[in-house]
């Protein structure tokens, strides 16, 4: 074999990854975008180029309500996962002294993830039900007289499941950035007279920003793209954009599903773009 | 001298070429006899039972692979993936949707041994000569086509069937009598504020809308021209009433799969809901009281049948006909009737049921001995009678058939809004 120019070699080295991305990421998105302009009847899909699907989507008040609902779930879930995730990571990074214990406790956090998402979610149903463990316990303690109806098949249940499912995605990146913080910085802050809250706010939080941002991107994209948690935990009574898409697919309305998917994709990209304006992940990693 | 080195890349390339060659160039080995035939069947959970597959292997010798899917997925597959199945076990209203797509082939009734014994519902639409035909997609209206290559429907017995009927039943509301404590007689009870937060309806638009129509007629809000084919205004009105009820907290949940309906009922989350017969059986077999309540307005009925893929030819097709004839020969009928369904040729099923079972399930008589499900769970004690009575009583009071409307797409969109509301 002859000697290749360095440029060609670099291109060739990048080629497999580029190929994989092209086939499995770019091509499907292009396909979805194309299909979103097609038309469908109950049993056939007709290639076309018209804006019917988008017109219907933007013309229906349901779309706006559903998108609003999706944002609501994302925002509330983000707030809870952030507070819980940050606290857990802070405890692991700064309160647990030995590396062995840090690793042990960290692995403990991941144990629930050895079972599937859906099983972890569904196991809440018998717990929260009208005659479930939570209600019977509260009644036997005399806290309530009547079972609480809003525990299951409600927004409360949906958000509870989301927080349970996705907090670890917040813990891991924040823990990771916290471990890189040079401990002497904290000592220096203390020597300079800062109290605990000031150290947290002026030293640790700014240095954790990339981790917080990565965690937030994980949580927000996962929640905005979810449909199964919303379906099961709300007893099919609430909808987010994912459910809109899955309903359309179930009813063979692929073009309309594709149009909704394109709008969702753009929305999520815009959200991420806004988030990335606050922190330059690349620079801080 | 030129040295040849075996590089990793070279091995990979060779491997890929070999893999491509062996799959593309593989010689087609045709089955020598029917024993080697494998037929792929898919359908809803109701009749896709492993017991049927095992019995086929025993009695006919060939292999039947079964896939159970939910109603929407079944429609989807029948309409879009004709090469993924040999036999489609679908409902008649799905047939109305997918038949015009041309993915199924018409079946020659002269090859069906028990054709003459198939109940009238699937032939001229009449259970008895006097009965009136219910609203909705009555099976006989989509049961026949004009010829071997027809993609239309004809209203007479043309000799070419779209589906061979296999299984059907009359659906109504399921209730928990122990938690309700009073008689339930009308569909309107589903929206009775007494059951606020304890009612459920199924989230399958084409069936759910019919249950809604039964409720609304029962409430005296509106009388539909055809519940199975509503106008846009009727769809709007129907869903508006239910959206209002949903917002007022009438419903605990909506269910989409059979198991969900069983869990909702068995756990006491729900005391009244649209339900399917085997779900009632499943709740009962847990030792929990559950009644498939006959209601004054009648039943919402459905029927299923077997259709053959257009791609099916030769030996596989012969095997499929053999399978159909076996299906109507009684063993499957008996098996299904012991779960509360009806067989298209009830008289052959009788041979495979005890007198007590036949009396209880078909004739609506008191059980003379314990009635058990095919899986051995006791369902009824001596002296108990089937909810709703005999075959004629139940199938004779069908108010409408599961259907697909002319305004289906509009309805689906409105349904989506109802769910999202």
């Amino acid at each position: 074999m002859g000697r290749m120019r360095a440029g060609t070699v670099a291109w060739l080295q990048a080629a497999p990854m580029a190929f994989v991305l092209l086939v499995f990421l770019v091509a499907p998105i292009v396909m979805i975008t194309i299909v979103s302009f097609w038309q469908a009847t109950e049993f056939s899909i007709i290639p076309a180029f018209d804006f019917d699907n988008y017109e219907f989507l933007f013309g229906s008040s349901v779309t706006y309500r559903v998108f609003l609902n999706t944002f609501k779930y994302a925002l509330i879930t983000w707030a809870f996962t952030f507070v819980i995730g940050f606290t857990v990571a802070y405890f692991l990074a700064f309160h647990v002294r030995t590396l062995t214990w840090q690793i042990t406790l960290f692995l403990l956090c991941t144990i629930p993830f050895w079972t599937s998402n859906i099983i972890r979610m569904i196991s809440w149903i018998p717990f929260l039900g009208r005659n479930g463990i939570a209600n019977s316990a509260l009644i036997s303690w005399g806290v309530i007289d009547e079972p609480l109806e809003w525990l299951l098949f409600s927004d409360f249940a949906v958000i509870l499941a989301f927080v349970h499912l996705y907090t670890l995605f917040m813990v891991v990146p924040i823990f990771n950035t916290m471990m890189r913080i040079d401990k002497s910085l904290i000592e220096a802050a203390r020597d300079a007279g800062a109290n605990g809250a000031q150290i947290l706010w002026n030293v640790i939080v700014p240095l954790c920003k990339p981790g917080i941002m990565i965690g937030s991107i994980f949580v927000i994209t996962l929640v905005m793209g979810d449909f199964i948690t919303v379906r099961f935990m709300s007893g099919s009574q609430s909808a987010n954009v994912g459910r809109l898409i899955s309903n359309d697919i179930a009813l063979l309305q692929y073009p309309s599903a594709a149009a909704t998917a394109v709008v969702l994709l753009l929305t999520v990209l815009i959200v991420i773009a806004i988030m990335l304006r606050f922190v330059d992940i690349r620079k801080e990693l | 001298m030129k040295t040849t080195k075996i590089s990793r890349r070279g091995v990979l390339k060779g491997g890929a070429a070999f893999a491509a060659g062996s799959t593309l160039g593989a010689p087609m080995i045709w089955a020598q006899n029917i024993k080697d035939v494998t037929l792929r069947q898919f359908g809803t959970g109701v009749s896709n039972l492993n017991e049927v597959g095992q019995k086929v292997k025993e009695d006919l010798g060939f292999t039947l692979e079964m896939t159970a899917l939910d109603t929407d997925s079944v429609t989807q597959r029948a309409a879009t993936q004709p090469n993924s199945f040999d036999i489609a076990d679908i409902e008649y209203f799905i047939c109305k949707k997918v038949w015009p797509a041309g993915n199924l082939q018409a079946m020659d009734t002269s090859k069906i041994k028990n054709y003459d014994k198939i109940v009238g519902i699937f032939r001229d639409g009449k259970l008895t000569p006097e009965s009136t035909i219910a609203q909705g997609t009555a099976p006989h209206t989509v049961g026949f086509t004009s010829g071997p290559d027809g993609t239309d429907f004809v209203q007479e017995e043309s000799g070419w069937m779209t589906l061979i009927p296999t299984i059907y039943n009359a659906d109504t509301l399921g209730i928990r009598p122990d938690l309700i404590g009073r008689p339930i007689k009308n569909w309107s009870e589903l929206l009775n504020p007494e059951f606020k937060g304890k009612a459920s309806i199924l989230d399958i638009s084409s069936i759910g809308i019919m249950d809604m129509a039964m409720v609304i007629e029962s409430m005296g809000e509106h009388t539909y021209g055809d519940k199975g084919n509503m106008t846009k205004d009727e769809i709007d009105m129907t869903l508006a009433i239910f959206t209002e009820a949903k917002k007022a907290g009438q419903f605990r949940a909506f269910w989409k799969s059979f198991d969900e309906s069983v869990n909702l009922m068995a756990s006491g989350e729900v005391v009244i809901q649209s339900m399917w017969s085997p779900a009632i059986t499943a709740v009962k077999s847990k030792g929990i009281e559950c009644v498939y309540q006959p209601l004054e307005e009648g039943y919402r009925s459905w029927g299923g049948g077997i259709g053959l893929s257009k791609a099916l030819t030769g030996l596989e097709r012969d095997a499929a006909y053999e399978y159909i004839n076996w299906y109507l020969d009684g063993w499957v009928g008996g098996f299904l009737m012991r779960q509360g369904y009806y067989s298209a040729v009830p008289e052959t099923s009788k041979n495979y049921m005890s007198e007590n079972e036949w009396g209880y399930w078909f004739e609506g008589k008191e059980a003379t001995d314990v009635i058990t499900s095919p899986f051995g769970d006791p369902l009824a004690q001596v002296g108990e009678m089937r909810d709703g009575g005999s075959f004629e009583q139940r199938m004779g009071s069908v108010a409408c058939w599961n259907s697909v409307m002319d305004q289906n797409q509009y309805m689906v969109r409105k349904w989506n809004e109802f769910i999202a509301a």
Side-chain angles (χ1 to χ4, degrees), chain A residues 167-244:
Chain A
T167 298
L168 191 72
F169 290 99
M170 214 41 135
V171 175
V172 176
I174 297 180
F175 178 62
N176 188 36
T177 47
M178 278 181 180
M179 292 299 282
R180 292 147 166 256
I181 295 176
D182 191 345
K183 295 281 193 295
S184 55
L185 286 176
I186 296 166
E187 279 164 29
R190 201 169 286 283
D191 289 346
N195 64 24
Q198 282 172 323
I199 295 175
L200 181 70
W201 189 248
N202 295 317
V203 181
I204 298 175
V205 170
L207 288 173
C208 287
K209 265 192 189 167
I212 294 171
M213 210 43 74
I214 292 170
S216 305
I217 292 174
F218 270 134
V219 170
I220 286 177
T221 49
L222 282 169
V223 171
M224 289 191 73
D226 172 276
F227 73 99
I228 200 87
T229 311
V230 176
R231 163 153 135 62
F232 278 105
M233 299 310 290
S234 77
S236 288
Q237 297 217 71
S238 308
N240 65 347
V241 183
R243 282 210 69 206
L244 222 54

Side-chain angles (χ1 to χ4, degrees), chain A:
Chain A
M1 263 191 261
R3 197 166 283 180
M4 284 185 226
R5 284 188 301 115
T8 322
V9 173
W11 278 107
L12 279 179
Q13 280 171 334
M17 191 59 192
F19 177 76
V20 167
L21 285 180
L22 205 68
V23 172
F24 295 105
L25 183 74
V26 178
I29 291 175
V30 171
M31 274 306 291
I32 287 172
T33 314
I34 294 172
V35 171
S36 73
F37 292 101
W38 290 9
Q39 287 180 328
T41 65
E42 284 125 21
F43 50 81
S44 61
I45 295 174
I46 308 145
F49 184 77
D50 61 40
F51 290 88
D52 272 10
N53 298 311
Y54 290 99
E55 241 166 65
F56 184 83
L57 197 63
F58 289 113
S60 162
S61 66
V62 173
T63 313
Y64 298 102
R65 252 183 292 143
V66 169
F67 266 90
L68 207 66
N69 213 22
T70 311
F71 277 116
K72 184 184 83 186
Y73 286 142
L75 207 68
I76 300 176
T77 309
W78 174 80
F80 278 102
T81 52
F82 169 62
V83 171
I84 299 171
F86 190 87
T87 315
V88 171
Y90 184 86
F91 175 79
L92 285 177
F94 296 113
H95 277 261
V96 182
R97 293 288 165 193
T98 66
L99 191 64
T100 325
W101 273 106
Q102 278 178 334
I103 292 171
T104 314
L105 291 174
F106 181 75
L107 284 178
L108 211 63
C109 290
T110 66
I111 285 180
F113 287 76
W114 296 355
T115 59
S116 97
N117 241 357
I118 295 188
I119 291 174
R120 271 179 293 145
M121 178 180 78
I122 286 179
S123 52
W124 280 108
I125 294 177
F127 182 81
L128 297 172
R130 180 176 290 135
N131 306 310
I133 302 168
N135 268 322
S136 14
L138 288 173
I139 290 176
S140 72
W141 293 340
V143 180
I144 48 170
D145 303 322
E146 288 281 302
L148 300 173
E149 299 278 321
W150 52 263
L151 282 183
L152 184 59
F153 303 138
S154 59
D155 280 353
F156 167 80
V158 174
I159 287 164
L160 181 74
F162 273 141
V163 171
H164 173 218
L165 293 180
Y166 299 141
T167 298
L168 191 72
F169 290 99
M170 214 41 135
V171 175
V172 176
I174 297 180
F175 178 62
N176 188 36
T177 47
M178 278 181 180
M179 292 299 282
R180 292 147 166 256
I181 295 176
D182 191 345
K183 295 281 193 295
S184 55
L185 286 176
I186 296 166
E187 279 164 29
R190 201 169 286 283
D191 289 346
N195 64 24
Q198 282 172 323
I199 295 175
L200 181 70
W201 189 248
N202 295 317
V203 181
I204 298 175
V205 170
L207 288 173
C208 287
K209 265 192 189 167
I212 294 171
M213 210 43 74
I214 292 170
S216 305
I217 292 174
F218 270 134
V219 170
I220 286 177
T221 49
L222 282 169
V223 171
M224 289 191 73
D226 172 276
F227 73 99
I228 200 87
T229 311
V230 176
R231 163 153 135 62
F232 278 105
M233 299 310 290
S234 77
S236 288
Q237 297 217 71
S238 308
N240 65 347
V241 183
R243 282 210 69 206
L244 222 54
I245 297 172
S246 95
N247 279 350
D248 272 339
I249 290 174
L251 297 160
L252 299 176
Q253 305 295 322
Y254 289 111
S256 144
T260 316
V262 168
V263 175
L264 177 64
L265 181 67
L266 291 176
T267 316
V268 173
L269 286 179
I270 291 170
V271 169
I272 292 176
I274 294 171
M275 289 168 68
L276 289 181
R277 284 198 75 88
F278 292 116
V279 181
D280 185 354
I281 292 181
R282 220 178 244 267
K283 201 180 92 191
E284 306 214 15
L285 271 182

Side-chain angles (χ1 to χ4, degrees), chain A residues 43 130-131 235 237 247 254, chain B residues 76 97 251 254 267 269 416:
Chain A
F43 50 81
R130 180 176 290 135
N131 306 310
Q237 297 217 71
N247 279 350
Y254 289 111
Chain B
Q76 206 175 325
K97 269 196 213 181
F251 302 107
F254 301 128
S267 63
E269 296 288 343
N416 257 341

